[in-house]
Amino acid sequence: MTKQAANLRSARWFAPDDLRSSGHRSRMMQMGYDEKDWGKKPIIAILNTWSDLNACHAHFKDRVEHVKRGVLQAGGFPVELPVQSLSESALKPTSMLYRNFLAMETEELLRAHPIDGAVLMGGCDKTTPALVMGAISAGFPMIFLPAGPMLRGNYKGEWLGSGSDAWKYWDERRAGTISEEQWTGVEEGIARSYGHCMTFGTASTMTAIAEALGLTLPGASSIPAADVNHIRMSTRCGRRIVEMVWDELTPDKIITADAVHNATTVAMATGCSTNAVVHLLSMARRAGVPLTLDDLDKAGRTTPVVANIRPTGDKYLMEDFYYAGGLRALMSEIKDLLKLDAMTVSGFPLGETLKGAEVYNSDVIRPLSNPIYHEGSLAVLKGNLAPDGCVMKPSACEPRLRVHEGPALVFDSYPEMKAMIDREDLDVTADHVLILRNAGPKGGPGMPEWGMLPIPKKILKQGYRDMLRISDARMSGTSYGACILHVAPEAHIGGPLSLVRTGDIIRVDLPNRSIDMLVDEETLASRRAEWVAPADKYERGYGWMFSKHIKQANEGCDFDFLERQFGATAGEPDIF
Ligand code: FES
């Protein structure tokens, strides 16, 4: 124990013999506490992202009590602070619009209250990066408590995967190959317990990244939400954060360039969601690590995918991943690619936390000598269509589309695409390249997950299940297919995507990482001169602020005024 009780941050609220502190003390007494509860004990904020509309976090109402038990056991004073819930399945137009809102709320809530350390309860997609971004900027000890994946889906004995099987069976329904009754069975069986999506979609990706950054207890991210081990892990989080406060184990000692390297490597090895890109960039930059898209592409070229989990794999789900040994086993399998000296919230370097980890099923967690995909999960393409880059998930697309040339079919908005895509008279072939634009960070706004454009019904009926698709939007981490996303700069601010016309030939060469429209420069210049900037959609409120300050996808979509200048220190200004 290195920190003295008198130096606790919360002592600034409760220790002084002045009128303001008297007010703080008497109002705590108003809630039944007394001086035994504060003063010499670290006050631990438990940031709870529970809500009645967030099925992924339905157990957080109970788990918060398990965390409190641990805090009390270790001699701390737990306080629950509710924050926005960001339910992926309930929010419109997209939860990404609110990621930075939760990050701001986290930072300001922690900074403004008498808090010494924080447990961050998250898991549903954007909650993980949002809580982590805010807590990094607040700068005091924190530990991330992952919600855990839900149980496998089940329909008539067949396993169902979150998102992935919804997309799959929806296409079959549109193609007329399954009945209404079968569709209802899928709807009822695909989400059977609390917990986040149980494919390696965005939620599992981001909690794995949090663990690889060193922000969770070892192995925490793989524990299914409904497993009793999740309760024990929650209580241990409560005990550990109290020790972290005394040890002054702050995020800057954990989220270093080495930790970001580990997070990036693990993301690639797990077949991560494309959404990992914007979140990794923004979290790393908050911590002062200048990660770029080129770094991610390099990691993608050198890290094989060893987690055989859907949607990259074709069978197993997160429950299987846990039974196979979970993330500790996976990291142990790829330990030669990791920086094992990186510190973790456990108080031990990563290498120590991996000791004794074993793979129990080498088909689920593959050895490096037998990966399910020889390169990493993501590739970054550049060219005259995306000078600042765009992202593709090669492991999830049909091989015939890795090098492809075809005519563009352009949609200017999501409603236009939705109205047109299933028309029998749509002029489209399987070789067309579907383009949806004006759906980026400012244009969406918030980059909705519209990037996995539906395959037109007439193409589905011809037996095709994949086409090349390009957008400045994102796609769900549970999606799959030849989708090229996050095109930067986006169309809404006049990026080259705004200049494409239906019928232009698009060429994509994945091995050479290029994406181009085969249109001469003179033609492009005349289209650029004719281009008129669309109006922002929000005229007031948070949406207005978002549109004014959001950065582009290749920079992580943080707000310009929240980004940390590299080299500047994190942490709080003096609070009196
Ligand atoms: Fe919450 Fe997928 S809807 S993680």
Side-chain angles (χ1 to χ4, degrees):
M1 189 178 295
T2 56
K3 197 179 184 95
Q4 301 298 310
N7 295 332
L8 285 172
R9 185 174 180 273
S10 58
R12 283 191 254 158
W13 273 255
F14 297 110
D17 182 17
D18 61 23
L19 184 58
R20 219 164 155 210
S21 292
S22 172
H24 296 317
R25 289 190 295 268
S26 74
R27 290 305 176 141
M28 293 302 281
M29 289 175 186
Q30 184 182 5
M31 292 187 284
Y33 300 113
D34 63 25
E35 72 283 355
K36 293 281 185 213
D37 290 302
W38 66 78
K40 294 190 170 56
K41 294 180 177 181
I43 299 185
I44 304 300
I46 308 168
L47 267 55
N48 192 349
T49 48
W50 171 88
S51 96
D52 264 338
L53 285 175
N54 194 339
C56 301
H57 296 180
H59 54 315
F60 276 2
K61 235 178 180 177
D62 292 333
R63 290 295 179 277
V64 73
E65 299 305 322
H66 303 133
V67 179
K68 284 180 184 175
R69 188 172 73 199
V71 173
L72 291 168
Q73 286 170 353
F77 177 26
V79 292
E80 180 183 357
L81 300 179
V83 287
Q84 286 183 84
S85 189
L86 301 193
S87 167
E88 193 65 27
S89 56
L91 284 169
K92 288 190 178 197
T94 165
S95 63
M96 186 63 183
L97 187 63
Y98 301 104
R99 183 199 69 177
N100 294 352
F101 201 157
L102 176 56
M104 288 175 74
E105 185 184 10
T106 299
E107 179 180 350
E108 299 306 325
L109 194 74
L110 292 175
R111 181 175 291 138
H113 285 94
I115 302 301
D116 298 300
V119 177
L120 314 173
M121 300 178 71
C124 190
D125 289 23
K126 313 302 179 293
T127 56
T128 303
L131 291 165
V132 170
M133 287 161 69
I136 289 171
S137 296
F140 39 91
M142 53 100 155
I143 191 166
F144 184 77
L145 192 168
M150 68 178 92
L151 299 176
R152 291 185 198 102
N154 180 52
Y155 174 63
K156 293 192 173 175
E158 184 187 336
W159 295 354
L160 296 177
S162 309
S164 303
D165 274 317
W167 313 120
K168 179 178 139 188
Y169 284 103
W170 185 248
D171 275 351
E172 297 307 327
R173 188 184 176 200
R174 290 166 64 234
T177 56
I178 64 167
S179 67
E180 285 293 312
E181 190 196 349
Q182 285 171 305
W183 172 250
T184 303
V186 170
E187 202 169 84
E188 287 172 349
I190 201 165
R192 298 191 299 123
S193 79
Y194 47 75
H196 61 66
C197 291
M198 70 344 224
T199 37
F200 237 122
T202 304
S204 301
T205 293
M206 294 314 302
T207 57
I209 283 174
E211 181 164 339
L213 280 172
L215 296 177
T216 75
L217 290 177
S221 66
S222 313
I223 305 172
D227 192 304
V228 73
N229 284 298
H230 197 273
I231 296 179
R232 285 198 282 268
M233 180 272 291
S234 301
T235 301
R236 284 207 300 274
C237 282
R239 286 200 295 266
R240 179 61 196 148
I241 187 63
V242 176
E243 295 168 357
M244 287 175 68
V245 171
W246 293 125
D247 291 345
E248 300 188 275
L249 188 49
T250 44
D252 57 314
K253 293 171 185 148
I254 296 171
I255 309 180
T256 58
D258 280 357
V260 170
H261 167 90
N262 290 340
T264 304
T265 305
V266 163
M268 297 300 165
T270 54
C272 67
S273 157
T274 46
N275 285 322
V277 172
V278 284
H279 303 320
L280 267 168
L281 291 170
S282 56
M283 291 191 298
R285 286 161 174 244
R286 285 282 184 117
V289 179
L291 189 70
T292 65
L293 276 184
D294 292 338
D295 297 327
L296 293 170
D297 187 61
K298 194 169 154 208
R301 286 177 186 269
T302 54
T303 315
V305 179
V306 294
N308 186 12
I309 309 294
R310 296 182 68 192
T312 304
D314 60 2
K315 175 181 173 190
Y316 300 115
L317 296 162
M318 289 305 290
E319 207 177 325
D320 308 293
F321 185 64
Y322 179 58
Y323 302 147
L327 197 70
R328 278 181 71 239
L330 180 141
M331 287 199 278
S332 164
E333 203 58 45
I334 62 166
K335 65 175 185 296
D336 290 348
L337 305 177
L338 300 174
K339 308 279 188 188
L340 299 175
D341 290 335
M343 180 47 70
T344 71
V345 292
S346 69
F348 296 98
L350 180 67
E352 283 292 310
T353 71
L354 300 182
K355 281 190 175 155
E358 278 183 67
V359 174
Y360 304 120
N361 184 333
S362 59
D363 190 34
V364 176
I365 299 174
R366 299 281 188 88
L368 276 172
S369 56
N370 181 31
I372 72 157
Y373 192 71
H374 62 286
E375 286 187 1
S377 182
L378 303 179
V380 174
L381 314 183
K382 288 185 180 172
N384 76 356
L385 198 50
D388 291 338
C390 57
V391 176
M392 190 180 191
K393 190 168 181 174
S395 57
C397 81
E398 287 187 6
R400 70 185 169 89
L401 297 168
R402 290 167 61 87
V403 177
H404 183 80
E405 207 171 285
L409 174 55
V410 180
F411 302 104
D412 279 321
S413 71
Y414 181 78
E416 180 193 333
M417 182 277 293
K418 205 170 168 200
M420 300 283 294
I421 201 79
D422 283 345
R423 283 174 56 157
E424 286 298 331
D425 62 349
L426 188 68
D427 186 9
V428 65
T429 67
D431 285 336
H432 267 84
V433 178
L434 305 179
I435 293 181
L436 172 66
R437 63 187 171 198
N438 300 315
K442 280 168 84 79
M447 295 177 85
E449 292 184 341
W450 296 337
M452 190 176 86
L453 278 72
I455 307 294
K457 204 183 243 179
K458 64 192 275 188
I459 304 297
L460 283 175
K461 285 180 181 167
Q462 292 167 18
Y464 293 97
R465 292 294 181 269
D466 202 1
M467 287 175 74
L468 200 62
R469 292 157 269 181
I470 299 174
S471 181
D472 44 14
R474 296 173 301 116
M475 75 174 181
S476 163
T478 60
S479 302
Y480 47 84
C483 303
I484 296 175
L485 312 150
H486 308 193
V487 170
E490 65 180 304
H492 187 87
I493 62 169
L497 193 64
S498 66
L499 308 180
V500 188
R501 305 242 169 116
T502 290
D504 288 349
I505 299 300
I506 306 295
R507 179 172 170 77
V508 169
D509 183 340
L510 177 62
N512 288 306
R513 302 293 199 260
S514 68
I515 178 167
D516 292 288
M517 52 181 155
L518 307 185
V519 180
D520 63 76
E521 190 44 50
E522 200 181 328
T523 306
L524 290 177
S526 84
R527 290 182 191 175
R528 202 171 289 120
E530 286 169 20
W531 183 76
V532 177
D536 287 346
K537 288 184 179 145
Y538 288 83
E539 293 182 351
R540 60 173 295 280
Y542 175 76
W544 176 88
M545 186 182 86
F546 184 98
S547 300
K548 295 290 172 228
H549 294 286
I550 191 71
K551 299 199 77 172
Q552 288 291 287
N554 60 307
E555 299 173 299
C557 296
D558 205 349
F559 288 149
D560 50 11
F561 61 89
L562 289 178
E563 269 206 328
R564 174 173 162 190
Q565 296 304 312
F566 304 129
T569 52
E572 57 183 330
D574 281 342
I575 291 179
F576 300 103

